C-alpha cells in the first residue's frame, strides 16, 4: 500500500502498479467466484473479472435479466446458474443483488456460506444495519467489500477504455487470515483505478448521504428549482434547460473533472467568475443545514429503515415506476430529450 496526500490529509491507498493484475490472478487462481445478481453492478464486475482471466460464474433468477446474462455470453448450466446453486459452487460469493433482494434471498444463500468461503459486497448497507436487515454472516467465513465509486455501466465502459473507477474496500471479518489479499485481488480484478480503505458502516453512511445529496437527490432538486425560476420569468424551455443542465454536464463538468474547480473557474468569463465566487457562499450556507439533517438521518438508521420498509411493500416497483415516469415526463426532462437529439454527435 502507498501513502498519498489528499488535501493535506495522508491516506493509504492501493494502486494497480503495486498490486498488478498478475498478482491478483495468482492469489485467486484456485477460487471460484460467483456473482449473484446481474442488475446494476453484476454485469460490469463479472465481465471485467472474466475478461481478466478469473474463474467466474453468475447466479441470477429467470427473467429479462437472466436473458441479458445469456446474451453477454454466460452459459446456462456451465457459467450461469440459479442464485442458490451459484452460491453453493463458489468459494467467493459476490453478493451484488439490490439491498431489497439481499434481504429476500439471504435465508436461501446463507447455508452455502460454509467454512473458509468469502462473502463479498459492493455496498455496506446489509452489514452496517444488520440489526434491521437480519444479514448476519457465519463467524467462520471472510466478510469483505469492494465498492466502486461509479455505476456498473461506468465500471465496464472505463475498463474497456483501459481506465478504472476508483473503489473503496473494507474487511469486516477475517476468518482465513487472507481476507486482505482476497479483497484487493478482487478490487484489481474488477478493474478498480485505485482502492482506498473504509469500513462497512462508513461506506454505507457516505454512500446513502451522497446518493440523497450531491450525486442524485440534491442535483435533481437544484436543476428543478433553477429551471422553474427561469421558466416562471419568461425564459423558453430550451434556454432554461441549456443554462441549467446542458452547459453544466457538457461543458463545465469535464473541466473541473480534469483539473479541479479553480481551473474551471479560470477558464470561464470574468463575469461568470465574479458571480460564482459571490454566490457560492450563500448556496453553501443554505444547503449545509439540509445535508447535516440528511447525514443524521442516515447515521441513526432512519434512511435505512425507510428503504427496508419501502422495498418490502408489494407495490413498491409500481410506485417507483410512477415516480420515475413523472420525472421523465416533466417539461424539463422532456426538453432534455429534445436537446440531446440535437447534439452534433447525433447528426
Amino acid at each position: 500500500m502507498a501513502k498519498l496526500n489528499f488535501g493535506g490529509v495522508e491516506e493509504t491507498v492501493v494502486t494497480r502498479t503495486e498490486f498488478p493484475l498478475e498478482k491478483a490472478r495468482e492469489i485467486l487462481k484456485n477460487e471460484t467466484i460467483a456473482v449473484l445478481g446481474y442488475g446494476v453492478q453484476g454485469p460490469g464486475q463479472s465481465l471485467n473479472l472474466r475478461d481478466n482471466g478469473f474463474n467466474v460464474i453468475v447466479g441470477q433468477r429467470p427473467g429479462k435479466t437472466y436473458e441479458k446474462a445469456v446474451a453477454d455470453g454466460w452459459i446456462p448450466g456451465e457459467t450461469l446458474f440459479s442464485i442458490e446453486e451459484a452460491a453453493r459452487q463458489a468459494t467467493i460469493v459476490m453478493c451484488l443483488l439490490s439491498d431489497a433482494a439481499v434481504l429476500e434471498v439471504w435465508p436461501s444463500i446463507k447455508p452455502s456460506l460454509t467454512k473458509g468461503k468469502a462473502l463479498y459486497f459492493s455496498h455496506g448497507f446489509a452489514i452496517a444495519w444488520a440489526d434491521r436487515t437480519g444479514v448476519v454472516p457465519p463467524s467462520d467465513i471472510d466478510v469483505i467489500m469492494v465498492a466502486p465509486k461509479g455505476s456498473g455501466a461506468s465500471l465496464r465502459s472505463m475498463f474497456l477504455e483501459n481506465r478504472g473507477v476508483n473503489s473503496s474496500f473494507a474487511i469486516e471479518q477475517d476468518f482465513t487470515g487472507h481476507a486482505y489479499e482476497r479483497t484487493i485481488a478482487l478490487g484489481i480484478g474488477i478493474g478498480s483505478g485505485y482502492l482506498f480503505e473504509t469500513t462497512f458502516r462508513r461506506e454505507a453512511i457516505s454512500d446513502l448521504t451522497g446518493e440523497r445529496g450531491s450525486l442524485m437527490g440534491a442535483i435533481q432538486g437544484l436543476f428543478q428549482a433553477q429551471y422553474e425560476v427561469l421558466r416562471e420569468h419568461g425564459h423558453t424551455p430550451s434556454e432554461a434547460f441549456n443554462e441549467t443542465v446542458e452547459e453544466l454536464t457538457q461543458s463545465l463538468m469535464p473541466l473541473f473533472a480534469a483539473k479541479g474547480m479553480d481551473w474551471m473557474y479560470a477558464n470561464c468569463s470574468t463575469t461568470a467568475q465574479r458571480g460564482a465566487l459571490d454566490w457560492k457562499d450563500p448556496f453553501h450556507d443554505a444547503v449545509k443545514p439540509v445535508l447535516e439533517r440528511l447525514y443524521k438521518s442516515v447515521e441513526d438508521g432512519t434512511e435505512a429503515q425507510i428503504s427496508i420498509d419501502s422495498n418490502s411493500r408489494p407495490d413498491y416497483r409500481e410506485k417507483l415506476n410512477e415516480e420515475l415516469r413523472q420525472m421523465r415526463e416533466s417539461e424539463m426532462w422532456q426538453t432534455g430529450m429534445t436537446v440531446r437529439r440535437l447534439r452534433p454527435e447525433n447528426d
Side-chain angles (χ1 to χ4, degrees):
M1 294 194 290
K3 291 189 179 294
L4 298 178
N5 188 292
F6 292 87
V9 178
E10 191 176 77
E11 289 189 38
T12 302
V13 302
V14 182
T15 69
R16 291 189 283 190
T17 299
E18 61 190 291
F19 204 109
L21 181 59
E22 294 74 18
K23 182 176 180 179
R25 288 196 191 108
E26 178 63 24
I27 288 170
L28 300 180
K29 65 182 180 181
N30 296 320
E31 304 270 19
T32 298
I33 304 166
V35 173
L36 306 188
Y38 208 73
V40 177
Q41 283 287 336
Q45 294 200 32
S46 62
L47 292 171
N48 290 0
L49 284 165
R50 186 177 71 182
D51 288 355
N52 272 334
F54 296 89
N55 180 26
V56 189
I57 61 176
V58 170
Q60 175 59 43
R61 290 176 286 196
K64 289 183 179 179
T65 306
Y66 186 95
E67 296 306 318
K68 181 181 185 304
V70 173
D72 285 344
W74 302 101
I75 303 170
E78 294 184 20
T79 55
L80 178 59
F81 302 92
S82 70
I83 288 173
E84 293 77 11
E85 178 59 21
R88 187 190 67 77
Q89 290 192 27
T91 57
I92 297 176
V93 177
M94 296 178 66
C95 193
L96 301 184
L97 299 152
S98 69
D99 293 327
V102 172
L103 272 60
E104 181 184 343
V105 306
W106 176 247
S108 64
I109 64 173
K110 186 175 181 180
S112 295
L113 299 173
T114 51
K115 185 175 181 179
K117 288 191 177 186
L119 176 62
Y120 166 112
F121 292 92
S122 280
H123 184 23
F125 187 100
I127 298 298
W129 289 293
D131 58 329
R132 299 169 186 264
T133 65
V135 178
V136 180
S139 60
D140 57 358
I141 65 169
D142 294 341
V143 182
I144 61 180
M145 177 177 66
V146 176
K149 299 298 108 179
S151 69
S154 297
L155 184 73
R156 181 60 177 167
S157 63
M158 292 179 73
F159 173 86
L160 295 173
E161 296 167 2
N162 199 30
R163 300 160 62 206
V165 171
N166 299 328
S167 302
S168 61
F169 75 93
I171 298 166
E172 180 76 8
Q173 190 168 283
D174 182 7
F175 172 78
T176 65
H178 301 291
Y180 174 82
E181 291 85 357
R182 279 171 142 178
T183 304
I184 303 303
L186 288 164
I188 297 299
I190 67 171
S192 301
Y194 73 81
L195 296 124
F196 60 95
E197 193 167 11
T198 186
T199 66
F200 272 69
R201 180 167 174 79
R202 288 210 327 258
E203 192 282 334
I205 291 174
S206 60
D207 189 76
L208 265 65
T209 301
E211 290 168 348
R212 286 150 178 75
S214 64
L215 301 179
M216 295 173 67
I219 198 72
Q220 166 63 15
L222 177 60
F223 283 166
Q224 185 177 348
Q226 180 168 304
Y227 182 89
E228 288 173 354
V229 167
L230 289 171
R231 290 289 287 125
E232 288 161 5
H233 286 273
H235 297 269
T236 65
S238 181
E239 184 171 46
F241 187 86
N242 273 278
E243 296 290 359
T244 299
V245 180
E246 191 76 353
E247 186 172 355
L248 173 64
T249 59
Q250 301 304 300
S251 175
L252 300 182
M253 275 187 169
L255 294 180
F256 65 75
K259 295 188 179 180
M261 190 69 74
D262 62 321
W263 192 76
M264 184 267 279
Y265 275 35
N267 283 273
C268 293
S269 71
T270 55
T271 301
Q273 290 170 3
R274 184 68 268 143
L277 290 167
D278 288 346
W279 277 93
K280 66 178 178 61
D281 290 341
F283 274 106
H284 168 273
D285 295 345
V287 171
K288 189 171 181 181
V290 178
L291 286 170
E292 285 285 0
R293 285 207 317 273
L294 166 58
Y295 188 89
K296 289 176 182 176
S297 185
V298 174
E299 187 179 38
D300 67 15
T302 299
E303 294 298 311
Q305 194 62 53
I306 290 171
S307 294
I308 292 168
D309 293 344
S310 175
N311 293 344
S312 63
R313 295 189 185 113
D315 62 348
Y316 166 71
R317 182 58 58 179
E318 290 78 7
K319 288 187 174 180
L320 172 64
N321 288 337
E322 174 59 21
E323 289 180 280
L324 295 177
R325 182 196 65 78
Q326 291 177 19
M327 182 184 296
R328 181 177 63 251
E329 295 182 3
S330 68
E331 183 189 273
M332 181 172 72
W333 290 114
Q334 287 295 300
T335 300
M337 289 176 62
T338 302
V339 170
R340 289 191 292 275
R341 286 199 300 267
L342 294 172
R343 289 175 186 163
E345 66 265 25
N346 294 327
D347 288 346

